[in-house]
Amino acid sequence: MDWTRLILDLIDLRSFSNLWYWIALAVTWSTASHWVLGVPYDMVLRARRVGGQAETDLEDLVRINVNRILYIVAEAGLFLMILLSFTLTTLALLGFVYKVEFCQALFLIGAPMTLVAFMTVMTARHIDKNGDRGEVLRRRLSLHRLAVQVLGMISIFVTAIWGMLQNFNISVLPG
């Protein structure tokens, strides 16, 4: 058994034909839609069903996470934006200009997740500005989750189409 070959087959950089990439994509979007502003969505459902202490816990956790998100944006937002822009531009150029499939795959995860991050900041600002509580807060979190899920479906669809196209092009190329 050739261990080097086994490891390289397991960590294949041809991402779109690799099962691990699709598992990572599914886990990424599942996690993004479950954790709404850093709050597990089951807490929103429990607060809606039970109320009382569950509602208070949800409001406290949302307040803590909103303050944390807004603090990070205020303190490091410009630096993070520059770093993110550089990273996404590098991935896009390497992936789509220089045809590095691994960079295409990372870009197709990273670019939509950047939109999720922007949506999260906007939702956090809205909650902070309006002081959302109770049903209004739960509705805001539910709408944010729905928007993330729609973005995830579109992203997975685009990634699947692009991946199939890449796999098709590789399979029909001579040599």
Side-chain angles (χ1 to χ4, degrees), residues 2 17 19 33-35 44 50 58 70 76 80 89 93-94 96-97 113-114 118-119 133 146-148 156 159 161:
D2 184 12
S17 63
L19 178 63
S33 68
H34 178 70
W35 291 88
V44 177
V50 177
L58 173 68
L70 295 178
L80 291 173
T89 301
L93 287 173
L94 287 172
F96 299 104
V97 175
M113 290 308 293
T114 301
F118 287 134
M119 289 169 29
R133 300 179 65 82
L146 180 64
V148 169
I156 290 171
T159 302
I161 295 297

Side-chain angles (χ1 to χ4, degrees), residues 9 20-21 30 50 61-62 79 89 91 104 106 115 152 159 173:
D9 285 344
W20 291 109
Y21 174 75
S30 174
V50 177
L61 191 53
V62 168
F79 176 74
T89 301
L91 287 173
Q104 291 173 3
L106 289 178
L115 295 176
T159 302
L173 289 175

Side-chain angles (χ1 to χ4, degrees), residues 62-134:
V62 168
R63 179 186 48 78
I64 290 167
N65 285 330
V66 162
N67 290 338
R68 188 179 126 264
I69 290 166
L70 295 178
Y71 175 78
I72 290 169
V73 168
E75 292 296 316
L78 180 61
F79 176 74
L80 291 173
M81 181 72 92
I82 291 168
L83 183 63
L84 185 63
S85 297
F86 172 77
T87 303
L88 287 176
T89 301
T90 302
L91 287 173
L93 287 173
L94 287 172
F96 299 104
V97 175
Y98 294 104
K99 308 291 187 221
V100 179
E101 187 176 315
F102 185 68
C103 292
Q104 291 173 3
L106 289 178
F107 180 83
L108 289 171
I109 292 176
M113 290 308 293
T114 301
L115 295 176
V116 170
F118 287 134
M119 289 169 29
T120 298
V121 170
M122 297 303 288
T123 303
R125 284 186 176 153
H126 189 276
I127 290 170
D128 184 57
K129 177 183 163 194
N130 296 336
D132 293 348
R133 300 179 65 82

Side-chain angles (χ1 to χ4, degrees), residues 4-48:
T4 308
R5 173 113 175 117
L6 180 66
I7 290 172
L8 289 176
D9 285 344
L10 188 62
I11 310 171
D12 183 12
L13 293 182
R14 283 191 348 93
S15 303
F16 298 114
S17 63
N18 191 330
L19 178 63
W20 291 109
Y21 174 75
W22 296 104
I23 291 171
L25 182 70
V27 168
T28 298
W29 282 108
S30 174
T31 302
S33 68
H34 178 70
W35 291 88
V36 182
L37 272 73
V39 177
Y41 192 70
D42 62 283
M43 283 188 74
V44 177
L45 296 177
R46 190 164 30 112
R48 180 174 290 140

